[in-house]
Amino acid sequence: MFHEVKGKNITFDKNRTTAIWSPVQTGGLLFTEKPLTISDPVTLTLQGSGAVELGITQVDPGTLRGKVPESSSQLEKYHFLNDVKIHKRTCAMCIRVDEVAREVVSSYGGGQYKQGIDLNEQYWLVADVKYGAVDLKLDNSGNNHIRHLFSELCGGNIKVLNDPTAATSQTKSPAALCFYSEPVETQKQYVLHCSPKAYHGTIPGRYYVLMRYTNQSPLEFRRHNEDKFDILNQRESLSSSKPDWFQIEKFEKDDCAGNPIIVEFTGDSFIYKTASGKRSRQNCRANTDSEVWLVFELYGISARLEIINISNRHVVGGGCTNVSLTQGGNLAVTCIREETENDINNIPSNNSENDLTGSYTASGYNIPGPVRHPDLVTQAASQIDDPVSLEKAIQKNFTTLRDSFIVDEFIDNMFENEVITRTEFQQLELVCQQDKTKATKKVLMSLSLRPVSKKFIMTALEKTKQQFLAQYFFPEEEKE
């Protein structure tokens, strides 16, 4: 299991075997130095990959010295405008005060997002970088040529540059560290089953797990590096310090989704095999006469940790043997068994975040022991160009979708685009002939339990003349 010491942006399941990336404490607040005016609209340009929420506040940022909240949700007199999720691109939006309509208007992507205001009050623009590597730039397009700047007071994960019209986020995934609960040992495999983790329905375009090691216990490491766990506790002496840790590997999208990541400790080095099949060795530079601890940084994923004792080798799952990587063998995890009709007939009727802890593979859901979700997925999440999670949207709008969603032809589109397997298709067709409501529920559960392509959903809805349902599958679109 994972150690109880963790960052504020990590949550555990009840058994502490799964660590989940949950960016709630962002430290990404950024303000304009001066309030918005009727005559001088502001153009804000974003560049990079991440998520940014825009809003306005009646709180003068100059009064927040030493008390900048961790996120916009904790800012007093704050009003939401819109949010933007970008991946390797640049976008610009114009924020202006409409005196006639008594509104602040944010124009972005062909749409306008409005917030009513009191013209007798002053309002400052707020940008809240939720996660990612994002550069922000203020431009001015008003007639008075007033130079808008960012306030020097900002969140702990934001840096205003020498040119105060520019700022950047510092850490892609702040306060997202966790540890294995015990020091590493030889003759054990440390197995990570990783799955993409959506933020407000959208899976980041890039996700990873960064694995390091240290001689410091979790308690000792946190004591020396408080800002790595809670950015509100950041101290100047710590922010510039270098932690006493060493990197094993940064497992990017293709190397952390699909099959498990396997790591072994030989006593003087770490040997690992990635989800994509790459093997490598990293010499241990820490003092191996002392305890060595594994440190994980998560970004856009959840990770379930399994420990396997290599010395207890035996045949598992009809042919997979537990052979150590140091001996050039295969992984010691259970083989994926084929789906059966009984599996499809027993699709779970509900789901929680704690259940989604396995790893997506081309054949199914790779979970040692009993298969809890045998209906998942025909495509690896890393092979989907625009993966989204519909879990929360479907749960929120379940009864509306149950009563309005016509799944007959939609099932054909799911099979054609490899969203479901042949066995699933045959079973859903049979259920659809017998009980359409039951079939609709099964399709909704199937879509909620796997990453799917946003483009596929929109196209399939259009082909089946059900575009009006897009607002229920993607409710967050109303805010973007």
Side-chain angles (χ1 to χ4, degrees):
M1 66 171 63
F2 289 98
H3 197 280
E4 62 183 0
V5 169
K6 65 177 183 63
K8 284 292 183 70
N9 288 332
I10 293 288
T11 59
F12 291 144
D13 65 353
K14 62 182 180 181
N15 297 318
R16 293 216 312 266
T17 57
T18 300
I20 304 161
W21 174 75
S22 303
V24 292
Q25 188 194 79
T26 66
L29 279 185
L30 185 63
F31 309 87
T32 51
E33 183 181 56
K34 298 176 181 178
L36 300 170
T37 64
I38 296 171
S39 58
D40 286 281
V42 175
T43 298
L44 175 65
T45 301
L46 308 176
Q47 184 175 20
S49 296
V52 180
E53 178 179 310
L54 293 185
I56 53 175
T57 181
Q58 295 167 253
V59 176
D60 183 347
T63 66
L64 296 174
R65 189 168 301 277
K67 298 180 181 179
V68 178
E70 62 188 33
S71 68
S72 56
S73 63
Q74 297 184 351
L75 186 64
E76 294 182 1
K77 299 181 180 180
Y78 171 80
H79 308 282
F80 172 83
L81 277 174
N82 63 289
D83 59 13
V84 184
K85 301 180 183 73
I86 58 175
H87 179 55
K88 295 182 179 179
R89 67 183 178 96
T90 301
C91 67
M93 57 215 69
C94 179
I95 299 92
R96 61 184 176 85
V97 177
D98 186 329
E99 183 179 18
V100 176
R102 297 174 177 269
E103 295 173 330
V104 171
V105 182
S106 173
S107 301
Y108 164 63
Q112 290 189 335
Y113 307 88
K114 304 175 181 180
Q115 180 60 243
I117 60 171
D118 180 352
L119 291 178
N120 295 318
E121 297 287 342
Q122 291 183 317
Y123 296 86
W124 285 260
L125 179 64
V126 181
D128 187 358
V129 180
K130 297 298 185 180
Y131 65 81
V134 180
D135 296 325
L136 306 94
K137 177 73 174 177
L138 285 175
D139 295 311
N140 302 271
S141 56
N143 296 325
N144 294 335
H145 303 293
I146 296 176
R147 191 166 183 248
H148 288 284
L149 309 175
F150 285 123
S151 170
E152 64 178 8
L153 295 175
C154 55
N157 195 39
I158 292 292
K159 180 180 181 181
V160 178
L161 304 182
N162 290 334
D163 175 1
T165 64
T168 185
S169 60
Q170 299 189 86
T171 303
K172 290 171 63 69
S173 188
L177 296 184
C178 52
F179 294 76
Y180 174 50
S181 60
E182 304 289 342
V184 294
E185 301 177 40
T186 61
Q187 296 298 308
K188 286 189 177 180
Q189 285 186 346
Y190 300 86
V191 184
L192 274 183
H193 303 267
C194 299
S195 303
K197 174 67 173 62
Y199 176 79
H200 287 185
T202 300
I203 295 172
R206 179 187 182 193
Y207 46 87
Y208 63 78
V209 55
L210 179 53
M211 191 180 299
R212 301 183 178 97
Y213 60 94
T214 178
N215 282 137
Q216 297 178 0
S217 71
L219 288 170
E220 181 183 7
F221 190 91
R222 183 174 63 181
R223 188 164 57 250
H224 294 158
N225 301 278
E226 291 183 22
D227 57 327
K228 303 296 181 185
F229 298 85
D230 181 354
I231 54 181
L232 294 186
N233 288 332
Q234 184 172 355
R235 298 198 296 255
E236 184 176 356
S237 60
L238 291 175
S239 61
S240 59
S241 65
K242 183 178 180 180
D244 185 18
W245 60 6
F246 307 93
Q247 181 169 317
I248 298 175
E249 184 61 89
K250 189 174 189 177
F251 299 102
E252 298 275 5
K253 189 174 183 178
D254 291 338
D255 285 329
C256 69
N259 291 309
I261 300 169
I262 311 297
V263 178
E264 292 180 18
F265 181 57
T266 66
D268 57 12
S269 63
F270 290 92
I271 300 176
Y272 59 86
K273 182 175 181 179
T274 72
S276 61
K278 293 187 295 186
R279 295 172 184 253
S280 190
R281 178 190 295 265
Q282 181 68 251
N283 290 333
C284 182
R285 293 187 288 158
N287 180 7
T288 53
D289 292 333
S290 303
E291 294 178 335
V292 177
W293 298 77
L294 287 177
V295 191
F296 306 93
E297 177 187 320
L298 306 187
Y299 177 60
I301 66 168
S302 63
R304 181 170 60 87
L305 180 61
E306 179 188 12
I307 311 301
I308 295 177
N309 194 328
I310 302 171
S311 61
N312 296 332
R313 288 193 289 269
H314 59 280
V315 177
V316 180
C320 288
T321 57
N322 291 1
V323 180
S324 169
L325 294 179
T326 60
Q327 300 171 346
N330 294 319
L331 308 184
V333 296
T334 309
C335 287
I336 305 167
R337 62 180 178 84
E338 294 295 322
E339 293 176 334
T340 67
E341 290 190 5
N342 185 59
D343 291 332
I344 302 302
N345 286 329
N346 287 284
I347 295 174
S349 59
N350 54 52
N351 180 47
S352 66
E353 189 170 59
N354 292 346
D355 287 333
L356 290 173
T357 55
S359 57
Y360 297 105
T361 71
S363 304
Y365 213 71
N366 185 10
I367 303 178
V371 177
R372 290 185 290 175
H373 298 316
D375 58 318
L376 299 180
V377 320
T378 58
Q379 289 183 331
S382 60
Q383 297 172 350
I384 302 175
D385 291 333
D386 57 342
V388 293
S389 170
L390 301 178
E391 177 190 358
K392 294 186 183 299
I394 288 176
Q395 183 176 5
K396 180 180 178 180
N397 300 294
F398 191 81
T399 55
T400 299
L401 290 170
R402 178 200 63 195
D403 298 336
S404 307
F405 192 20
I406 301 174
V407 300
D408 306 57
E409 296 181 14
F410 196 89
I411 295 171
D412 298 342
N413 285 272
M414 293 175 71
F415 178 62
E416 182 178 83
N417 288 272
E418 299 183 358
V419 178
I420 55 176
T421 64
R422 184 181 302 275
T423 305
E424 286 179 296
F425 173 72
Q426 293 171 344
Q427 291 297 317
L428 288 171
E429 281 281 281
L430 180 61
V431 174
C432 198
Q433 294 171 13
Q434 299 171 346
D435 187 332
K436 291 189 180 298
T437 300
K438 184 177 180 180
T440 301
K441 290 181 179 180
K442 284 183 175 288
V443 170
L444 289 173
M445 292 311 303
S446 178
L447 291 173
S448 70
L449 292 174
R450 70 191 78 197
V452 293
S453 164
K454 180 178 179 180
K455 181 179 179 181
F456 158 71
I457 295 294
M458 299 299 290
T459 301
L461 289 176
E462 183 177 355
K463 285 183 177 180
T464 58
K465 297 180 172 56
Q466 300 184 90
Q467 301 97 314
F468 67 94
L469 293 176
Q471 62 181 311
Y472 301 109
F473 284 107
F474 304 105
E476 288 296 320
E477 291 296 299
E478 299 175 5
K479 296 167 58 178
E480 294 186 6

